[in-house]
Amino acid sequence: MAGGFVSQTPGVRNYNYKLTPKVFITCFIGAFGGLIFGYDLGISGGVTQMKPFLEEFFPEVQKKMKSAHQDEYCRFDSQLLTLFTSSLYVAALISSLFASTITRLFGRKWSMFLGGFTFFVGSAFNGFAQNIAMLLIGRILLGFGVGFANQSVPVYLSEMAPPNLRGAFNNGFQVAIIFGIVVATIINYFTAQLKGNIGWRISLGLACVPAMMIMIGALILPDTPNSLIERGFTEEAKKMLQSIRGTSEVDEEFQDLIDASEESKQVKHPWKNILLPRYRPQLIMTCFIPFFQQLTGINVITFYAPVLFQTLGFGSKASLLSAMVTGIIELLCTFVSVFTVDRFGRRVLFLQGGVQMLISQIAIGVMIGVKYGTVGTGNIGKSDADLIVALICIYVAGFAWSWGPLGWLVPSEISPLEIRSAAQAINVAVNMFFTFLVAQLFLTMLCHMKFGLFFFFAVFVFIMTIFIYLMLPETKNVPIEEMNRVWKAHWFWGRFIPDEAVGVSAVEMQQKSV
């Protein structure tokens, strides 16, 4: 597939490229980094409602579940239980900050490898856990792995992909996350039927499989031209660019990468420089997009889907099956984003998905409120329960083609090279911090806020949809090193971008001086 692309942003250059098997295979393998995050998201919620697991580590939760008069909203409320889930995300937050330095100094692939290795060790701790301490140590190691992978993989995919297909390739990371969730949910469905402690041990221990996949993948992957130039391997970078673009006519794009690298070398302290006014758009977006992504409430569904479905009156087996169905729907709908994000753009998907999530969340809150009220007692009939599951699926679908993949894509593509690693580290750190808060507080919030919790998240969905409409410019088809032109043209952010930052190349400078 040969060609170029036409950007909607004035002054943005068009590059020559062919969609080669190498870039496709490279990005496919690179996206494996999302598997470890997805597997953990999917496995945790299922394990935390397995009776043998609860009896072994959280007997007080098991006692609540047996109480005939237990408030349905509060039956799983346990800070120790939520700490099991959420401890991973504190570790991921911390490791993502260190990962930015490793990614910049040693390349994206070695950060991915380190993520896979620590995740592998953590899976062993969890699978053989004999007490709470081993369980939490394993979770922390898993978190280190997630932090390194989430920091490096989106940047890797954005740098390797051709500009007009960057959205589709980068969304492969989200596809891998959702695939990991679905596989984990299926595994939980079958292991939950095993007697004794073997079921949850298999579920937690099998996390070593996606960890090995990312380790092996990282060893065979090439590094990106951007990273090679950044580390001084200029000739290798040009050969790599020619290889992944499928043409020897890469001089214009290669010069842009050189110019970006030269500018980045003048920045000695990226963590300090990202606070400068000229990087204000990138800083705001890399903070607010992951913040809003977690405040959609999606991880309430992902972490605790089996628990939530049990709260709605489903049996243990039926709750796992319902969680599996929502996971499969999320996986299928993520492909909608893969095939449309570079055609319709980021803004259209963000806005449409936001409206869809808002409507479905309000409907879910109303139905649960009518059935359970504020006292948390009552029964939901099969038809009403099926309708709630359908509404959850509609909500999940809206997230799957909007805030899910775009929450990783947009922050990874908007920053210039000199602050890119730091910006992505901030993106992951903010994401993990609010993932931790939601995971740690959800069961308590459900207990105290009742059905109002769904309205709580709906308010944030409304706010974030307005934020995207006003503040995010369209970035489809724009080369990653030309992104400052987009910000310069924006009605609000343009005031922060100096004229010299819009990517004037050395060739253009020489032409102007003649």
Side-chain angles (χ1 to χ4, degrees):
M1 177 179 173
F5 63 92
V6 178
S7 171
Q8 295 177 333
T9 305
V12 171
R13 288 184 280 273
N14 299 332
Y15 299 141
N16 294 317
Y17 75 92
K18 296 177 182 177
L19 181 55
T20 63
K22 180 170 184 175
V23 74
F24 181 84
I25 294 171
T26 297
C27 289
F28 177 78
I29 296 175
F32 283 178
L35 289 175
I36 60 174
F37 189 31
Y39 187 86
D40 180 78
L41 287 172
I43 216 71
S44 300
V47 166
T48 53
Q49 61 90 56
M50 292 182 185
K51 289 182 180 180
F53 179 80
L54 293 175
E55 289 172 351
E56 181 80 16
F57 298 108
F58 307 100
E60 77 284 356
V61 176
Q62 188 67 10
K63 291 179 182 178
K64 281 187 179 183
M65 291 175 64
K66 292 179 179 179
S67 173
H69 303 290
Q70 176 65 39
D71 184 337
E72 289 295 333
Y73 292 120
C74 301
R75 66 193 302 204
F76 288 96
D77 184 21
S78 167
Q79 287 300 303
L80 192 59
L81 179 61
T82 52
L83 182 62
F84 163 74
T85 300
S86 60
S87 57
L88 180 148
Y89 305 104
V90 176
L93 186 160
I94 295 171
S95 67
S96 66
L97 302 178
F98 292 104
S100 69
T101 300
I102 293 177
T103 301
R104 180 166 50 89
L105 295 180
F106 300 103
R108 286 54 166 147
K109 59 179 290 181
W110 292 113
S111 187
M112 293 162 60
F113 177 84
L114 188 57
F117 177 76
T118 53
F119 198 88
F120 181 88
V121 177
S123 68
F125 267 85
N126 275 180
F128 293 103
Q130 300 298 316
N131 49 53
I132 287 287
M134 282 188 70
L135 208 59
L136 293 181
I137 289 172
R139 294 292 291 173
I140 290 170
L141 289 170
L142 294 176
F144 286 147
V146 168
F148 274 97
N150 286 9
Q151 195 279 336
S152 54
V153 172
V155 171
Y156 183 90
L157 296 175
S158 289
E159 291 181 344
M160 292 295 280
N164 74 320
L165 293 174
R166 187 173 60 245
F169 280 111
N170 194 288
N171 282 357
F173 179 67
Q174 180 69 10
V175 171
I177 291 176
I178 306 305
F179 184 75
I181 292 173
V182 172
V183 170
T185 308
I186 294 173
I187 290 173
N188 275 339
Y189 179 76
F190 289 104
T191 58
Q193 301 176 47
L194 300 176
K195 294 182 179 180
N197 288 328
I198 190 66
W200 64 263
R201 291 191 185 278
I202 291 175
S203 290
L204 295 179
L206 283 178
C208 67
V209 175
M212 291 178 64
M213 291 176 67
I214 187 176
M215 282 194 294
I216 295 172
L219 289 175
I220 64 176
L221 286 175
D223 221 331
T224 69
N226 313 61
S227 179
L228 290 169
I229 292 173
E230 190 176 28
R231 293 180 287 127
F233 301 105
T234 307
E235 290 301 319
E236 292 90 336
K238 187 167 186 178
K239 292 178 182 178
M240 178 55 60
L241 187 62
Q242 291 172 335
S243 177
I244 62 176
R245 295 294 181 258
T247 177
S248 60
E249 299 176 2
V250 297
D251 290 345
E252 190 173 27
E253 183 176 4
F254 184 68
Q255 185 60 51
D256 282 344
L257 297 182
I258 293 290
D259 292 342
S261 179
E262 291 301 317
E263 184 174 350
S264 72
K265 289 177 182 178
Q266 300 174 21
V267 177
K268 303 299 181 183
H269 306 287
W271 288 100
K272 180 179 179 180
N273 281 73
I274 199 172
L275 300 176
L276 294 175
R278 66 185 294 166
Y279 302 119
R280 192 63 43 80
Q282 293 90 343
L283 179 62
I284 295 297
M285 288 298 165
T286 52
C287 289
F288 274 80
I289 287 179
F291 164 73
F292 282 137
Q293 187 191 49
Q294 296 313 307
L295 269 297
T296 60
I298 186 62
N299 281 341
V300 168
I301 305 298
T302 305
F303 294 152
Y304 300 113
V307 172
L308 182 61
F309 286 130
Q310 279 205 53
T311 298
L312 295 175
F314 288 74
S316 176
K317 187 174 180 180
S319 67
L320 284 172
L321 185 61
S322 299
M324 189 191 310
V325 170
T326 58
I328 292 172
I329 289 174
E330 187 172 3
L331 176 63
L332 295 176
C333 291
T334 302
F335 281 101
V336 174
S337 182
V338 170
F339 293 115
T340 61
V341 66
D342 291 312
R343 174 173 296 183
F344 300 119
R346 285 66 162 149
R347 283 172 53 85
V348 169
L349 295 181
F350 264 132
L351 297 175
Q352 189 282 328
V355 172
Q356 184 169 321
M357 287 190 293
L358 177 64
I359 294 172
S360 55
Q361 273 184 323
I362 293 174
I364 293 168
V366 169
M367 287 201 65
I368 295 177
V370 169
K371 295 300 178 181
Y372 280 143
T374 58
V375 294
T377 57
N379 292 299
I380 294 182
K382 184 180 184 303
S383 59
D384 289 330
D386 289 342
L387 179 56
I388 291 176
V389 171
L391 288 170
I392 289 175
C393 290
I394 292 171
Y395 162 79
V396 165
F399 177 86
W401 57 58
S402 63
W403 280 91
L406 301 184
W408 293 106
L409 166 61
V410 173
S412 72
E413 70 178 357
I414 61 175
S415 296
L417 184 62
E418 64 267 21
I419 62 164
R420 189 171 300 151
S421 292
Q424 182 63 10
I426 292 173
N427 175 46
V428 175
V430 173
N431 190 297
M432 292 299 107
F433 177 72
F434 285 99
T435 301
F436 162 76
L437 283 185
V438 171
Q440 186 65 28
L441 298 178
F442 165 65
L443 294 178
T444 299
M445 291 173 69
L446 179 63
C447 181
H448 291 86
M449 296 180 67
K450 319 296 183 184
F451 61 89
L453 181 60
F454 293 93
F455 299 136
F456 171 82
F457 287 119
V459 169
F460 278 98
V461 172
F462 175 78
I463 293 172
M464 66 184 70
T465 302
I466 299 299
F467 175 81
I468 291 296
Y469 179 77
L470 294 175
M471 306 305 291
L472 181 69
E474 183 54 66
T475 58
K476 72 170 183 176
N477 292 346
V478 179
I480 195 169
E481 304 301 351
E482 295 272 299
M483 205 61 71
N484 268 335
R485 296 180 184 270
V486 174
W487 299 112
K488 186 65 176 177
H490 188 264
W491 69 273
F492 179 78
W493 299 121
R495 72 192 71 181
F496 295 99
I497 308 299
D499 293 338
E500 65 271 17
V502 294
V504 179
S505 69
V507 174
E508 290 175 317
M509 293 285 286
Q510 291 175 358
Q511 290 175 343
K512 289 181 180 180
S513 63
V514 175

